[in-house]
Amino acid sequence: MPQVPQTFFDALAVRTWCGLALAALGRAREEIDSINVYPVADGDTGTNLYLTMESAAAAVEAVFAGHATAGPSTGVGQPASAGQPTLAEAARAMAHGALIGARGNSGTILAQLLRGMAQVLADDGETPRTDGRGLRLALRRAADSARDAVAHPVEGTVLTVASAAADAAGDAEDDCGTVARAAYEGAGRALAATPAQLAALARAGVVDAGGRGLVAVLAALVETFTGETPRAVAVPAVHARVAVAEAAAEVCDGDDRPEAGGPAFEVIYLLEAEDTAVARLRGRLDELGDSLVVVGGDGLWNVHVHVDDAGAAVEAGVEAGRPYRIRITHFGAEDAHMTGEAGRQPRERAGRAVVAVVPGEGLAGLYAEAGATTVLARPGEPPASGELVEAVRRAHAREVVLLPNDADLRHTAAAAAEQARAEGVRVALIPTRSAVQGIAALAVHEPERRFDEDVVSMTSAAGATRYAEVVIAERQSWTMAGICQAGDVLGLVDGDVAVIGTDVTVTAAAVVDRMLAAGGEMVTLVLGDGAPADVVEHVESRVREGYLAVDTVVYRGGRQGALLLIGVE
C-alpha cells in the first residue's frame, strides 16, 4: 500500500519515518553487513543499524500506545490531537529508544544522529509540527553532534555522508519533502565518493557500510514526506575506479585504519553520569583503545570503544557513574582490523566460541578476557532469547557453547540455541545455574579439542561446582530454613534457602561451612557492590583456619544483584 505523505514534520511523521527506516534497513541489512570493512571487518554494521532503529521505533510506538490508552485530553489549551503525543514527545522517544538500544560503532553514531535531530524537533515542546526550515536545522544538528561524539572523526565514513546530507538540505527551500530529497541525494553523492577518501574501502572495493545505512534511513525520510520511494542513488562500482582507489591508497598515511592485531574487545554500555565525569571518561577510554564514540546527554550516555583491556574500560565507566547493559564482544582471530586486499570477502567464522550470560559488570570483564562473548543480565531484567541469538551471531563461530548461568533461563537459552542451530551454528547448551559454575566450565574450555570432548569436560566441571548466593530478603516468606522477614540475610545453596541470618558476614561464613562439609578443594567468591568490606577477609580466614588444602579465589562482580556468589569445587 502506498504510504500517505506527511506534509509537515509532526509526531505522526516521526512514527511513519521510524517504521519505514526500520523496513528499509531490514531489506538492506545483509548487503550492508557484506560491505562492512571499517573500522573492523566484522560484518555486522547492517545488523547493528537495524537493531538500533528497531529500538527507536519501539519507543515511538510505546509513546503512541500510552496516549491512545490515556485517550484524548479535554484540558484547556490542549491541541485538538491531544490523544496523540506531541512532536517533542515522539522525537524524544525516538532518540531515547535509539540511545538505549544502540549496537556497535554504527548504531551508536545513528543514535546520536537521531538525538541531534530530536534536540531541534523538541526545542519548543508546545509546537505540534515543524516545516522544511525545521528539518534543515535538525539535519544540521544531527551531523554536527554525531561528529562531536566521535573521538577521532575520519572522512569517508558515515560522518562524511551525514555532513553532506546536511549541507545539501541547507541549500534546499520549500517543504519537508524537498528538503528530505535534497538531503538524500547529497548523502548518495557523498557515499559514492567514500572509497576515494578511505583507503580501506578502496582496497576492499566497497562504499562505507555505515554511510550506506544512513542513505537507506534518508530514503525512508523522503518516502515519509512524499509517499514515494526515491530513485536509488547512483553508486558507481568501485572496481571501475581503480585508479582513484590506488591513488587514495598511495597517499594514505595509515591513520584511517587500525593496525592488524588491534584491540581485541568491543565494549558497549549505557552509563548514568554527569557531564563532567563523562568528559574525564572520554579521555581515559581514548588512552585505552580506539573507535571511541560517546553519545547521549542529560545524565544518560551510550559508550562504545574497542580495547585490549575490557575490564579497564568497564572500570572506567564505574568510576564515572553507573554503567549497565554492558556488552563485551571478543574479536576472533578472523576479525582482523582491516588489512585485506581489494575484493576481500566477509571474514570466515571462528572455529568455536563461548557465549555466556553474566550478572555483573566485573564478571562480564572476567568472562570476556577469557574469550567469551557476554550478555549482561541486570537484576529483574533477564535477557530475552533474541539477545542470546544476537550474541551467538556476534561470536561468529561455527560451534558455540552456551552458558545461561541461571536456572530460570533454561527455556530462554534452549529457544536461542534452537534458533542458532536453524541458522547453521552447532550449539551445545550447558545448563549452568550460576555464574560460578560458568567460571568453572570456562576454566577447562579448550577450543582445540573435539567439540564433544570440550562440551563434556565443561559440563563435568560445571556439574562438580556447588553454588550458593547471599542475598537480602525483599519480603516475608516461607523457606526451607523457616520463615524469613523482609531485610533478613538469606544464604541459598543450590537454589534453596539454607541459612537465615541478620549479618551478611556471619551468614556467608555459615554458607561456606555448610558447603565444605561435603568436601571441596577450592572456594570461589564473587563480591557484589553491596557486600560489606570485611566479608571476604572473614570468609578467607575461616577457610584457611578450618579447612586444610582448600584454596580461595576472589572476583569482584560489580552490580550483580546478589551480595555474594559462592562456588565450591
Side-chain angles (χ1 to χ4, degrees):
M1 177 182 293
Q3 179 63 45
V4 178
Q6 305 292 317
T7 307
F8 295 96
F9 210 154
D10 58 9
L12 185 57
V14 173
R15 183 188 200 182
T16 301
W17 179 36
C18 286
L20 290 172
L22 182 62
L25 289 172
R27 292 190 297 270
R29 181 181 64 80
E30 291 186 2
E31 173 203 339
I32 297 171
D33 281 346
S34 72
I35 63 173
N36 172 204
V37 299
Y38 184 88
V40 178
D42 50 358
D44 63 358
T45 290
T47 299
N48 287 337
L49 289 171
Y50 178 84
L51 292 172
T52 302
M53 198 70 224
E54 183 180 46
S55 183
V60 173
E61 288 301 321
V63 78
F64 266 85
H67 277 264
T69 301
S73 170
T74 58
V76 177
Q78 293 295 320
S81 58
Q84 294 184 358
T86 64
L87 171 60
E89 289 172 329
R92 290 186 186 120
M94 172 185 71
H96 182 74
L99 179 66
I100 64 174
R103 303 293 185 94
N105 185 74
S106 54
T108 307
I109 293 175
L110 175 60
Q112 189 67 2
L113 287 167
L114 296 180
R115 177 179 171 80
M117 291 190 70
Q119 287 175 327
V120 173
L121 298 176
D123 188 48
D124 184 353
E126 299 303 317
T127 301
R129 63 187 187 184
T130 192
D131 54 13
R133 176 180 177 277
L135 179 55
R136 288 196 299 271
L137 294 174
L139 290 167
R140 180 78 270 162
R141 178 74 67 85
D144 292 347
S145 62
R147 187 171 289 269
D148 289 343
V150 177
H152 301 286
V154 173
E155 297 306 325
T157 65
V158 63
L159 299 177
T160 305
V161 177
S163 293
D167 291 343
D171 295 332
E173 298 293 339
D174 209 4
D175 59 16
C176 289
T178 303
V179 173
R181 191 178 296 278
Y184 168 72
E185 293 174 350
R189 291 189 294 270
L191 177 66
T194 55
Q197 298 174 291
L198 196 54
L201 303 178
R203 287 194 300 273
V206 296
V207 295
D208 180 66
R212 170 67 183 86
L214 179 58
V215 167
V217 171
L218 290 173
L221 188 65
V222 175
E223 187 175 356
T224 297
F225 294 118
T226 67
E228 301 173 354
T229 303
R231 183 181 61 181
V233 295
V235 180
V238 179
H239 293 298
R241 302 166 61 227
V242 174
V244 175
E246 290 179 346
E250 288 173 2
V251 300
C252 175
D253 62 4
D255 288 342
D256 68 338
R257 63 185 186 275
E259 295 296 326
F265 300 100
E266 178 184 59
V267 179
I268 307 174
Y269 50 79
L270 292 177
L271 177 70
E272 293 178 357
E274 299 297 327
D275 291 5
T276 53
V278 171
R280 293 192 297 271
L281 175 65
R282 288 178 191 270
R284 174 60 178 145
L285 293 179
D286 197 24
E287 295 172 354
L288 288 174
D290 60 35
S291 297
L292 173 61
V293 185
V294 181
V295 305
D298 301 321
L300 181 62
W301 308 81
N302 191 305
V303 179
H304 169 281
V305 67
H306 294 172
V307 294
D308 279 322
D309 190 342
V314 174
E315 289 172 5
V318 173
E319 293 174 1
R322 187 177 81 88
Y324 61 104
R325 290 196 184 181
I326 298 169
R327 298 173 67 245
I328 300 176
T329 302
H330 180 257
F331 293 127
E334 299 297 326
D335 287 334
H337 289 59
M338 184 57 196
T339 57
E341 300 300 324
R344 171 176 174 167
Q345 297 300 312
R347 65 186 175 97
E348 293 291 329
R349 289 182 180 272
R352 188 175 308 156
V354 175
V355 172
V357 179
V358 292
E361 300 91 343
L363 283 178
L366 174 68
Y367 271 72
E369 288 171 6
T373 297
T374 62
V375 178
L376 188 68
R378 299 294 303 172
E381 299 179 15
S385 62
E387 294 179 72
L388 301 187
V389 173
E390 176 56 27
V392 171
R393 291 170 181 157
R394 285 189 284 120
H396 203 67
R398 292 185 295 273
E399 300 171 339
V400 170
V401 179
L402 182 57
L403 305 176
N405 291 339
D406 186 337
D408 291 337
L409 287 178
R410 61 187 183 278
H411 297 306
T412 300
E418 283 302 314
Q419 183 172 341
R421 291 178 187 123
E423 296 178 6
V425 181
R426 188 181 185 187
V427 180
L429 171 60
I430 298 179
T432 49
R433 295 173 289 175
S434 170
V436 292
Q437 289 188 323
I439 291 173
L442 200 55
V444 300
H445 169 54
E446 292 185 16
E448 302 307 317
R449 277 192 299 217
R450 290 180 55 247
F451 185 61
D452 291 341
E453 292 176 355
D454 196 27
V455 171
V456 168
S457 178
M458 295 176 71
T459 302
S460 296
T465 302
R466 282 161 287 149
Y467 66 96
E469 59 182 343
V470 178
V471 300
I472 302 298
E474 296 180 354
R475 58 186 176 274
Q476 184 186 60
S477 180
W478 289 88
T479 76
M480 296 287 290
I483 300 175
C484 71
Q485 305 295 328
D488 282 348
V489 181
L490 306 181
L492 289 81
V493 178
D494 293 335
D496 293 322
V497 176
V499 180
I500 300 175
T502 58
D503 182 86
V504 173
T505 300
V506 173
T507 302
V511 169
V512 171
D513 282 339
R514 182 177 291 254
M515 297 177 76
L516 286 176
E521 299 176 353
M522 176 181 290
V523 175
T524 299
L525 304 176
V526 183
L527 193 66
D529 279 352
D534 65 342
V535 65
V536 169
E537 180 181 354
H538 184 81
V539 172
E540 283 185 314
S541 176
R542 183 68 162 266
V543 171
R544 186 170 53 251
E545 295 172 2
Y547 304 92
L548 296 177
V550 177
D551 296 323
T552 304
V553 60
V554 180
Y555 302 109
R556 295 197 174 274
R559 298 175 177 87
Q560 62 186 19
L563 297 174
L564 188 68
L565 298 178
I566 304 170
V568 172
E569 302 174 49

